[in-house]
Amino acid sequence: MYKNLALINGAILAIMVFLNGMQSSIIGPYMSTLIFHVIGFILIIIISIIKKNRLSNLKEIPFMFFLPGILSVITILLNNISIPQIGLTLAIGVTLFGQLVMSSLVEHFGLFGMPINSFKKEKILGFSIISLGIIVMITM
């Protein structure tokens, strides 16, 4: 079930990144990023009100857990800048490769409190195939 949710999430992300990238080519990457986050902010406020969620004491939350908000803005902005220039497929392919590399490093070294899951040499084949695919997309 969770693998299906991840697959659905990937499809939604591709649509989101595409639409936001196209909006960026019309109104610019900065305004597109602002609109993206304002609409998301309004939506999560509405959902939180409906679900009757309460705001936690922000002083109790470690600073590290505020970084995803900053990283989200940077991620969307970088997508908005790159997609009109290199296209959706290449942007998502390179982005996914970056995610794989970073997640492998996080797991291998146990960063951010993750359990250590040592890098296995069998993963090199997968990384190689993905790298080859990206190289083909870049050169064609």
Side-chain angles (χ1 to χ4, degrees):
M1 176 179 142
Y2 294 109
K3 291 176 185 170
N4 291 337
L5 292 176
L7 181 65
I8 292 167
N9 190 41
I12 290 171
L13 280 169
I15 293 167
M16 177 202 72
V17 167
F18 166 72
L19 292 173
N20 209 44
M22 292 302 95
Q23 180 187 50
S24 174
S25 65
I26 296 169
I27 64 172
Y30 303 102
M31 284 306 296
S32 181
T33 302
L34 177 66
I35 290 169
F36 177 91
H37 284 89
V38 167
I39 290 172
F41 180 68
I42 292 168
L43 179 61
I44 199 61
I45 286 176
I46 293 168
I47 291 170
S48 294
I49 290 169
I50 291 169
K51 292 288 198 174
K52 297 179 180 160
N53 288 337
R54 295 179 186 250
L55 187 61
S56 299
N57 185 357
L58 297 179
K59 292 179 183 177
E60 295 175 4
I61 301 172
F63 176 74
M64 177 175 75
F65 295 120
F66 289 99
L67 290 177
I70 296 167
L71 297 174
S72 170
V73 170
I74 293 169
T75 299
I76 297 301
L77 180 60
L78 293 177
N79 277 331
N80 289 346
I81 293 169
S82 65
I83 288 171
Q85 302 301 316
I86 65 173
L88 181 65
T89 304
L90 185 56
I92 288 180
V94 174
T95 299
L96 288 174
F97 185 74
Q99 288 177 356
L100 285 172
V101 169
M102 191 61 204
S103 62
S104 291
L105 290 172
V106 168
E107 283 187 338
H108 182 76
F109 294 108
L111 304 176
F112 310 113
M114 284 288 296
I116 292 177
N117 184 8
S118 296
F119 188 85
K120 295 178 177 52
K121 62 182 178 181
E122 293 81 13
K123 290 184 180 181
I124 293 173
L125 177 62
F127 277 88
S128 300
I129 292 169
I130 293 167
S131 298
L132 181 61
I134 290 171
I135 290 167
V136 168
M137 285 191 287
I138 290 171
T139 58
M140 299 209 129

